[in-house]
Amino acid sequence: MSIEENIRRVTPYTPGEQPQKKVIKLNTNECPYPPSPRVIKALGEADWERLRLYPDPACEQLVSALADHYGVKRSQTFVGVGSDDVLSMCFLTFFAGDKPVLFPDITYSFYDVWADVYRIPYETKPLTDDFRIEARDYYGVNGGIVIANPNAPTGVAEGSGFIKDILEHNPESVVIADEAYIDFGGESALSLINEYDNLAVVRTMSKSRALAGMRVGYCFANERLIKYLNDVRYSVNSYTMNMPALVAGKAAIEDVGYFSDIVGRVKKTREWTAGELKALGFTFNESQTNFIFAKPPAPYEASDIFDKLRQSGIYVRYFRKPRIDSYLRISIGTDAEMQTFINRLKEIVL
Ligand code: PMP
């Protein structure tokens, strides 16, 4: 008998590197622009003396701002410490049965980690060779379904009827649509929450609202699902959201103009980068996200390019995993950053 027998041991998720020196950072899909000036102002004007108090456990101001912005009820809105926390709470709450939860083999690599840590059985369904998700793979018996749409790290979005198709075939399972990248492309399933009581749509302020460091995520669903989520959340930690995150999240969601400006800029830079990569012989699906998942032309190896870029202070993401180990995931930075990246790439592959 060893102490390990009583210990929950897991293989953790590996986050992208956060180098503390200055680099061109295209490895974790952050926003290259600062948060809205209204966020900075709201934080400056916040009553910092209130830090001696616990924050509002119901997160009412943030929940109201989100509900107003998206035209849903407060009772249909849940918030968390980034969408990682929201997704983790969804796994813990919605996937408590014995049947396997289904998600694609190539997708956000946290899903299998949450399944493992919470002892949830799961099965992965292979993407097609061109990285599409087949709805019919999700018609069978299951204990829940998780679809990132647009998907990561592929950047591919499935069309409007896709989530609806999966919902129609799975009235007895909760279907999570992880829409971390939806502001950059694809069609949201949000309007379906009033029609399907088994849909949870998860979003984040980390990408399109430039708040990755503040950790604000949220989720919309039928009010019964939101109640179950809150019951679990209050059973783990009542005060997940700290006061600055509540203040910053509210200001970020209210600044609609700034949001559409930075999203527009990222999309424009993405199209420029895609053109340059194509000219260099890289192949990739059209991206609907703030990154491009691209395969270098033969004879160049993704892992070798990754190392060379890194040596020049340009960080992209490389996954040493079956099916995707010949690809690089390149987050979209500022125009200047992407120009430097392309210049360096030309030295490597030409
Ligand atoms: N879902 C997907 C598909 C992601 O790529 C990420 C970013 N790593 C997240 C969720 C989590 O983002 P955050 O916790 O910053 O909201």
Side-chain angles (χ1 to χ4, degrees), residues 13 28-29 81-85 87 107-108 110-111 114 148-152 178-181 202-207 211-212 215-217 291 317 329:
Y13 170 76
T28 49
N29 300 341
V81 188
S83 58
D84 280 342
D85 178 45
L87 287 162
T107 190
Y108 186 31
F110 225 136
Y111 300 156
W114 285 313
N149 194 36
N151 197 11
D178 177 354
E179 296 190 349
Y181 300 101
V202 178
R203 302 270 188 102
T204 178
M205 295 204 192
S206 297
K207 324 287 178 184
L211 279 186
R215 313 305 297 129
V216 185
F291 57 86
R317 193 83 188 261
R329 195 194 66 188

Side-chain angles (χ1 to χ4, degrees), residues 125-141:
K125 299 288 178 183
L127 295 187
T128 63
D129 288 342
D130 57 349
F131 294 156
R132 303 301 300 265
I133 309 173
E134 295 269 21
R136 65 170 175 274
D137 288 344
Y138 299 84
Y139 290 175
V141 172

Side-chain angles (χ1 to χ4, degrees), residues 239-264:
Y239 304 110
T240 46
M241 304 295 289
N242 63 51
M243 182 269 255
L246 294 172
V247 168
K250 176 175 184 293
I253 212 75
E254 287 172 351
D255 197 347
V256 177
Y258 184 82
F259 160 77
S260 51
D261 177 44
I262 60 174
V263 168

